[in-house]
Amino acid sequence: YVRILTSYMQQHSACKDLFTDQYVSDIIHAAPLHDIGKIAIPDRILTKPGKLTPEEFDTIKTHSKVGAQIIDDILKEVEQDEYLTIARDMAYYHHERWDGTGYPCNLKGPKIPLCARIMAIADVYDALRSKRSYKDPFSPEESYQIIVDGSGTQFDPELVKAFIHVYDQIKLVS
């Protein structure tokens, strides 16, 4: 999903100069690391079949900070690496919301790193389409509508427009 969205943005975005070949490659390759912090979350919480308690949800929410810390620790050992910086931003900020009600920092709008805004759409769509211990997968149509309805509140409106444009491609891989 990240590859499809970034490739579209590289060709059609008003800010397509930001989407260099290297930036697109880094985002695509960093995307699998966005949930690395979940290694610190107990399996009993990650695989719980029912609704999480407020305390369990607070524990889940720590995965973004833990993931960023893991990548920060790697960054200390190497020269500044743009790929790892992008991976860190994706891990740390992918649960921020366009309206500022996300976590862990309550960032709003363009203050959320672009790579994390892209990851947010891909992550939510993937979560909706996937079976989890606590839910069955949503249909492609339901998942699409949730992303579209989140434009301007949960998601960057420009990225949702891109999602709409590439949805036929996304549907093919979901």
Side-chain angles (χ1 to χ4, degrees), residues 128-164:
L128 292 167
R129 292 291 296 128
S130 299
K131 180 172 177 42
R132 300 284 196 247
S133 59
Y134 54 88
K135 71 162 195 70
D136 288 329
F138 284 73
S139 71
E141 296 74 24
E142 291 170 307
S143 303
Y144 170 86
Q145 197 59 54
I146 289 168
I147 300 294
V148 171
D149 290 347
S151 179
T153 54
Q154 186 168 3
F155 307 114
D156 177 334
E158 290 305 310
L159 292 172
V160 172
K161 286 179 192 172
F163 175 85
I164 291 167

Side-chain angles (χ1 to χ4, degrees), residues 17-18 21 51-52 93 97 112 119 133 163 172:
D17 56 314
L18 297 175
D21 289 344
K51 185 173 166 73
L52 297 175
Y93 301 116
R97 293 173 53 109
I112 304 164
M119 189 70 243
S133 59
F163 175 85
L172 288 175

Side-chain angles (χ1 to χ4, degrees), residues 110-122:
K111 291 188 177 185
I112 304 164
L114 178 59
C115 58
R117 288 183 263 154
I118 293 166
M119 189 70 243
I121 290 175

Side-chain angles (χ1 to χ4, degrees), residues 23 26-27 30 81-91 115:
Y23 185 71
D26 287 345
I27 290 176
D81 184 293
E82 190 62 24
Y83 161 75
L84 289 174
T85 301
I86 288 169
R88 181 221 184 262
D89 286 350
M90 291 172 95
C115 58

Side-chain angles (χ1 to χ4, degrees), residues 41-145:
I41 307 300
D43 284 343
R44 67 177 169 70
I45 295 175
L46 288 175
T47 60
K48 183 177 178 179
K51 185 173 166 73
L52 297 175
T53 67
E55 295 79 19
E56 290 168 333
F57 186 59
D58 285 344
T59 299
I60 285 280
K61 291 191 321 187
T62 66
H63 84 276
S64 57
K65 286 183 181 180
V66 171
Q69 187 59 56
I70 290 168
I71 297 169
D72 277 342
D73 290 346
I74 295 168
L75 282 168
K76 289 177 192 170
E77 303 298 322
V78 297
E79 279 187 42
Q80 186 62 19
D81 184 293
E82 190 62 24
Y83 161 75
L84 289 174
T85 301
I86 288 169
R88 181 221 184 262
D89 286 350
M90 291 172 95
Y92 198 33
Y93 301 116
H94 71 281
H95 286 290
E96 298 291 350
R97 293 173 53 109
W98 188 253
D99 64 7
T101 62
Y103 66 87
C105 300
N106 301 108
L107 297 181
K108 184 176 185 176
K111 291 188 177 185
I112 304 164
L114 178 59
C115 58
R117 288 183 263 154
I118 293 166
M119 189 70 243
I121 290 175
D123 187 44
V124 170
Y125 186 79
D126 181 63
L128 292 167
R129 292 291 296 128
S130 299
K131 180 172 177 42
R132 300 284 196 247
S133 59
Y134 54 88
K135 71 162 195 70
D136 288 329
F138 284 73
S139 71
E141 296 74 24
E142 291 170 307
S143 303
Y144 170 86
Q145 197 59 54

